Amino acid sequence: LVLGTLHTSTAARTLDRLLDVFPIDQQAQIRTMVSESLRGIVCQQLIPRKDGHGRVLALEVLVNNPAVGNLIREAKTFMLPGVMQTGKKLGMRLMDDSLQELLNQNLSTPEEAYRRAENKKAFAAAFAGQLQLTGPSTSCLGCWWNGGGATSTSWKASRPRSAGMVKSCRRIAASRRFTSGDLDIERV
């Protein structure tokens, strides 16, 4: 039994990160080995509770089966969410489903779920009028681009911002690496 931890937010990103460590000429062989030996992937995020007392767990679970193994071998990890949707009977679940469940149980806020969701358009549509977003996580922009990150403090937070972060935010905004439907970024 081998357990490992990676700072990724989805099962597909976990596999991609694991496989990208190897040289390109070895990746086909490594993909085959991983597709045969992998048993599962669990991605978890601790999300602040709506009542402000502690955190709740949101998780994504991937269980290896023939369809998952085939996608890994064929380098089609981007298709894993579809297989995970159909594999709910096997215990698979997407992070977005877990976030939706926390919202249904009134344990999380729509803003927090939106920030951590993979399919932001679906969350924005479902909670139109309820979302009050001001910007991505201040912990680091890498956390934002990795699916919401471990913390979720708006740009209006009281902690000081570095000039480098502000420049990075402006550079990303200028490059339009996000869609305007994702967030209304407050200019600094």
Side-chain angles (χ1 to χ4, degrees):
L1 176 67
V2 177
L3 298 175
T5 61
L6 293 173
H7 293 277
T8 55
S9 59
T10 67
R13 287 187 185 141
T14 301
L15 280 168
D16 289 340
R17 187 165 176 188
L18 173 72
L19 297 168
D20 286 344
V21 170
F22 296 93
I24 292 178
D25 60 328
Q26 294 178 1
Q27 284 187 6
Q29 178 187 2
I30 299 300
R31 284 184 179 282
T32 300
M33 291 170 58
V34 168
S35 73
E36 294 170 355
S37 61
L38 180 73
R39 295 296 170 249
I41 296 174
V42 177
C43 297
Q44 57 188 19
Q45 296 185 48
L46 292 174
I47 300 174
R49 291 177 61 99
K50 187 175 184 177
D51 62 12
H53 293 79
R55 295 180 176 264
V56 292
L57 176 67
L59 58 101
E60 178 168 294
V61 179
L62 171 76
V63 178
N64 197 2
N65 64 20
V68 169
N70 186 52
L71 291 177
I72 294 170
R73 278 190 303 280
E74 300 295 324
K76 295 181 180 179
T77 55
F78 65 91
M79 296 176 72
L80 285 173
V83 172
M84 292 171 70
Q85 282 282 26
T86 59
K88 289 184 179 183
K89 293 177 188 173
L90 299 172
M92 293 192 224
R93 74 184 310 176
L94 292 168
M95 183 62 72
D96 286 357
D97 294 338
S98 185
L99 293 168
Q100 184 65 53
E101 186 176 314
L102 292 175
L103 286 170
N104 293 344
Q105 295 172 357
N106 206 26
L107 294 173
S108 181
T109 64
E111 293 83 11
E112 200 64 50
Y114 177 86
R115 284 187 181 101
R116 295 164 186 267
E118 286 298 307
N119 187 350
K120 295 196 184 306
K121 287 183 182 181
F123 271 86
F127 295 99
Q130 295 180 33
L131 293 173
Q132 298 175 356
L133 301 171
T134 57
S137 166
T138 57
S139 61
C140 76
L141 286 172
C143 292
W144 167 249
W145 302 118
N146 287 331
T151 62
S152 187
T153 309
S154 75
W155 283 11
K156 293 181 181 178
S158 59
R159 82 172 79 157
R161 292 177 289 217
S162 70
M165 181 182 163
V166 172
K167 288 178 185 175
S168 293
C169 294
R170 287 184 178 151
R171 191 170 50 249
I172 289 168
S175 70
R176 297 187 178 271
R177 289 196 336 212
F178 64 93
T179 62
S180 60
D182 285 345
L183 283 181
D184 294 323
I185 294 182
E186 181 178 284
R187 302 277 172 164
V188 178

